Amino acid sequence: MSAVAAQPEAEAPPERFPPRSVHYCEICTFPYEYCEYGSSLTKCKANLESRDPVLFSSLYSEEAITDKLKSLTTEQAESLERESAKRERKAEAKAEKERAQLASSKVILSRVARTKRKVITCITGLHLFSPPLPALKVIAKGLSSRFATGASVSQSIQNPGVDEIHIQGDVLDEVKKMLLQRAKPFEKMPSVEDGGLLEKNIVIDEKAK
Ligand SMILES: [Zn+2]
């Protein structure tokens, strides 16, 4: 029996289609019946088995699989399985690559002397860890109130197209501490477990522009 069975016809108003209850997989977002066409079948199966053992066995029990294979040639069945495993390996490799990329990303903190007395602190590279605008604007605003000074988002001079945060005054050491502690306004930065920045990801660039 399938879990996506239609409602009894007698209850549905004749002019409308009866509501169909399709359940979507929390892992791959396809209807459960189509998980094998996604790239996470192993995770999908484990998830469904713990959420809905009945539906799980209707889809993946030996009996269900035997029934399904009856409609396919051996060759078709094998290629379906191969394709599914291949997609899964590809998705895992991609996730691994993204984790490695995040781990080698750098945030650059620099002190820039604008005039003899005026210094600004620049934060570059945050976009590698959290989404760029408007999040950078929100962070700049938070820094502005935290240090009671001006803070803004500007295009980087060295890296055109990259936005950086400029804070009036020398607050570099404080900013570094706040970044490592995910202190407000950096509380949305990914945690270390999610590949977020560690001390080694922070570069202090002391040369003035
Ligand atoms: Zn799924």
Side-chain angles (χ1 to χ4, degrees):
M1 202 193 89
S2 162
V4 281
Q7 302 286 308
E9 285 196 27
E11 301 205 9
E15 74 280 7
R16 280 157 128 208
F17 289 108
R20 236 167 73 96
S21 66
V22 178
H23 298 283
Y24 294 94
C25 173
E26 293 76 12
I27 307 293
C28 69
T29 73
F30 293 154
Y32 285 120
E33 285 76 2
Y34 295 98
C35 283
E36 65 186 310
Y37 298 102
S39 54
S40 51
L41 183 60
T42 309
K43 281 186 202 153
C44 292
K45 282 170 79 172
N47 173 61
L48 182 60
E49 189 169 20
S50 65
R51 289 185 67 96
D52 190 341
V54 177
L55 180 56
F56 177 83
S57 82
S58 84
L59 291 174
Y60 298 114
S61 70
E62 285 214 9
E63 214 187 320
I65 289 171
T66 313
D67 272 358
K68 195 177 148 185
L69 293 185
K70 273 185 205 151
S71 64
L72 300 173
T73 65
T74 316
E75 207 175 308
Q76 281 173 324
E78 275 171 5
S79 116
L80 191 66
E81 206 172 298
R82 261 201 315 274
E83 286 301 311
S84 177
K86 198 167 135 194
R87 274 194 304 276
E88 218 167 326
R89 276 197 307 276
K90 257 178 133 173
E92 273 160 21
K94 192 172 164 226
E96 180 51 45
K97 200 176 154 199
E98 279 167 4
R99 272 195 296 274
Q101 229 162 33
L102 206 53
S104 63
S105 299
K106 305 259 188 268
V107 167
I108 301 163
L109 301 181
S110 48
R111 271 183 269 259
V112 180
R114 277 284 156 90
T115 65
K116 263 189 187 153
R117 312 214 125 251
K118 208 172 150 202
V119 171
I120 63 167
T121 305
C122 298
I123 311 174
T124 311
L126 280 182
H127 65 286
L128 300 170
F129 290 90
S130 62
L133 299 169
L136 280 188
K137 276 188 177 161
V138 174
I139 291 172
K141 212 172 155 195
L143 290 168
S144 167
S145 59
R146 165 72 177 71
F147 295 117
T149 186
S152 60
V153 176
S154 320
Q155 282 240 339
S156 164
I157 297 159
Q158 283 118 333
N159 308 292
V162 171
D163 285 321
E164 56 186 25
I165 294 177
H166 293 175
I167 311 160
Q168 303 295 323
D170 179 1
V171 289
L172 192 147
D173 298 326
E174 290 92 328
V175 167
K176 184 181 172 185
K177 249 182 248 156
M178 288 162 74
L179 270 168
L180 289 174
Q181 292 166 355
R182 309 308 187 258
K184 227 176 157 196
F186 298 115
E187 75 276 16
K188 297 264 171 67
M189 301 279 294
S191 66
V192 172
E193 299 86 74
D194 290 332
L197 65 109
L198 295 160
E199 180 124 30
K200 69 175 171 68
N201 299 108
I202 300 179
V203 175
I204 309 288
D205 179 8
E206 291 281 8
K207 63 177 187 293
K209 274 177 204 167

